[in-house]
Amino acid sequence: MLVSAADRSFFYPPTKPSSLGICFSKVSANVDPKINAFTRRNHQTHSFFTSCCHKQPPVPVDPRYRHAGIGILDFFQGKNILVIGATGLLGKAVVEKLLRSTSVGKIYLLIKAKSKEAAFDRLQSEIISSELFSCLKEKHGTSYVAFLREKLIPIVGDIRKPNMGMDSESIDEVRKYVHVIIQSAASTTFHERYDLLVNSNVIAPQRVIRFAKTCNKLLLFTHVSTAYVNERKEEEIVFEEPLSMGGNDGGVDVADEISLLLKSSPNINEATNYFKMLGQERAKTLGWSTTYQLSKAMGEMVVNEIRGDVPLLIMRPSIIESCYNEPLPGWIQGMRMCDPVIQCYGKGLLPAFCANPEAPLDIIPVDLVANTMIAAIAKHGNIYMRQPHVYHVASSHSNPITIFDLFDYQHEYFKGTHTHLTSERIHIPKVRLFDNFDEFSKYTREEMWERCRDGEDGKRIREYNAKVEYVEQLCKLYEFATFFKARFHTGNTNKLTEEMSKEEQLNFQVDVKNINWKKYLEEIHIPGLIKYVING
């Protein structure tokens, strides 16, 4: 089943769909009374989430009475944080930075596990033993494990399940003590089944925001989205604004999309292909390149629409890659978007690529994303926000790197004495870039045949076909980024930098203009990718 009975009643109470308030119109400062009624109906279906603890907004703090700068250290001192997605790349970086650089209180980690013992095992293997935490380990020495076990509280849960998969004891504790919720969990497979992506990236976040509305001390809800929810924008500059929503103005009617899934009944043997094709069709029809981007856009809409008066911070990073400065330059977890291309080129399997050479490739190191999120939370956590604040954490506007630069820096790295990704040393020429797929495909097939034709037996031919197909699929998969001409404006992040004290700017580096892309790729990212992922 796609959703549980409780979740089904969330989208389909016994009234006609037009009364839900979730057939989105443009965001208004005035809350539609239909939405209030809709929200009350929703609470009745969840035994643990029965009250809203945000009747009165917190008293704003006058900035004149703050310490110098934003007051990051002051804000986080003793604050308790719930992190959802803490074992992922960004979530792990945020947890490490909070523990290393602030006097944070408890950090509750929602961990997908079958039992408390299994959750502790994941905490040990994926966080405490992670190389990312080596600086923290060096700082605390023999008390390192004790420090982390005292600070980090693993909770068995799964946001794809009712009540977020938590038991009543965990729910009561989090509701009572948590000040900030960071929701960074998501399914990131671009063309996953539509039903699975909607469950993970749309329905699951609305469970979390419903829970947030019952937390007694909550100051801020932080939702991690992606800058590419704005892909449909035709402007040269995409600004940090909430999405335009609704079926009547070119937006997305989320209720209709859910209804479409609920009415789907493919043959069980054909379900995977059916839902993958359905997702690609819906994304293309509604203006996105991938099902993932569509689902993340809908997730933003749902969270913003049903949050009530919960203060909302939306973080939209672009393409997250390895650490630039801290705690370990080059540290990365898993293959990110640029990395299959780098690996393929380093193995001599990428003679050409289909892309606009001058298009900005909007990549951002994970430590800058973590720092920006932490600084933004500190800034907005003490001042009540009636409207959500959106932050693009991106590079294309302030310090762009192009597709051409990426391939040029790759070539500089692999042409020298550096480690190759093959068992034998080979000559790796520069990649030829084409903006026409047919021309790219013709050239690639000819070049790959030259490299594979020695011993033209069946095995070689199969190898040739597989390599060509893989390269072509890479180009198709990343087309949304390699031909995307718009740049993501980062005015809110720039303003954040200006408001930070010099000490905060040094300890929580967020300014993308300080990145040297040639140094980052040749000396930090590619070596880190080889060390932590390819060889690791």
Side-chain angles (χ1 to χ4, degrees), residues 127-166:
I127 294 181
I128 295 178
S129 299
S130 171
E131 194 164 357
L132 179 68
F133 288 72
S134 57
C135 291
L136 201 61
K137 184 175 183 179
E138 182 178 341
K139 176 181 178 180
H140 290 276
T142 57
S143 62
Y144 166 72
V145 174
F147 169 76
L148 258 63
R149 288 190 177 276
E150 191 267 332
K151 287 287 186 180
L152 302 180
I153 312 298
I155 294 178
V156 176
D158 186 343
I159 60 173
R160 296 173 301 178
K161 296 180 178 179
N163 299 332
M164 294 166 54
M166 297 189 294

Side-chain angles (χ1 to χ4, degrees), residues 146-333:
F147 169 76
L148 258 63
R149 288 190 177 276
E150 191 267 332
K151 287 287 186 180
L152 302 180
I153 312 298
I155 294 178
V156 176
D158 186 343
I159 60 173
R160 296 173 301 178
K161 296 180 178 179
N163 299 332
M164 294 166 54
M166 297 189 294
D167 59 31
S168 57
E169 181 181 352
S170 299
I171 289 173
D172 290 342
E173 183 171 352
V174 172
R175 286 180 60 187
K176 185 176 180 180
Y177 296 114
V178 160
H179 300 95
V180 174
I181 294 176
I182 299 174
Q183 154 54 15
S184 67
S187 175
T188 58
T189 303
F190 289 167
H191 292 298
E192 179 59 276
R193 289 173 49 148
Y194 193 27
D195 56 335
L196 299 182
L197 280 173
V198 167
N199 202 11
S200 296
N201 297 347
V202 184
I203 297 175
Q206 57 89 3
R207 290 194 191 98
V208 184
I209 194 68
R210 284 205 307 264
F211 172 71
K213 294 169 76 170
T214 71
C215 292
N216 300 330
K217 297 181 179 180
L218 191 69
L219 300 173
L220 192 65
F221 184 93
T222 304
H223 177 71
V224 179
S225 184
T226 172
Y228 289 96
V229 296
N230 283 303
E231 186 197 13
R232 299 184 307 161
K233 298 278 187 179
E234 296 181 358
E235 298 89 345
E236 292 184 1
I237 304 296
V238 178
F239 290 94
E240 296 156 303
E241 300 171 343
L243 293 176
S244 177
M245 313 176 211
N248 295 325
D249 61 356
V252 182
D253 190 325
V254 177
D256 279 355
E257 295 303 304
I258 300 295
S259 177
L260 177 66
L261 288 171
L262 290 173
K263 292 175 182 177
S264 300
S265 56
N267 183 293
I268 189 170
N269 296 322
E270 301 173 352
T272 295
N273 287 335
Y274 171 84
F275 282 117
K276 283 188 176 182
M277 293 300 296
L278 177 63
Q280 293 175 39
E281 175 192 317
R282 297 306 298 158
K284 183 177 181 180
T285 299
L286 295 168
W288 281 272
S289 294
T290 70
T291 317
Y292 164 73
Q293 291 161 265
L294 169 60
S295 68
K296 290 295 288 185
M298 291 195 294
E300 269 197 34
M301 297 175 192
V302 170
V303 168
N304 188 24
E305 186 73 9
I306 70 172
R307 67 186 175 89
D309 55 7
V310 172
L312 175 63
L313 179 67
I314 298 174
M315 306 299 299
R316 290 184 188 154
S318 53
I319 301 168
I320 304 178
E321 292 290 352
S322 64
C323 294
Y324 185 63
N325 282 316
E326 55 167 347
L328 294 175
W331 178 85
I332 190 170
Q333 176 175 291

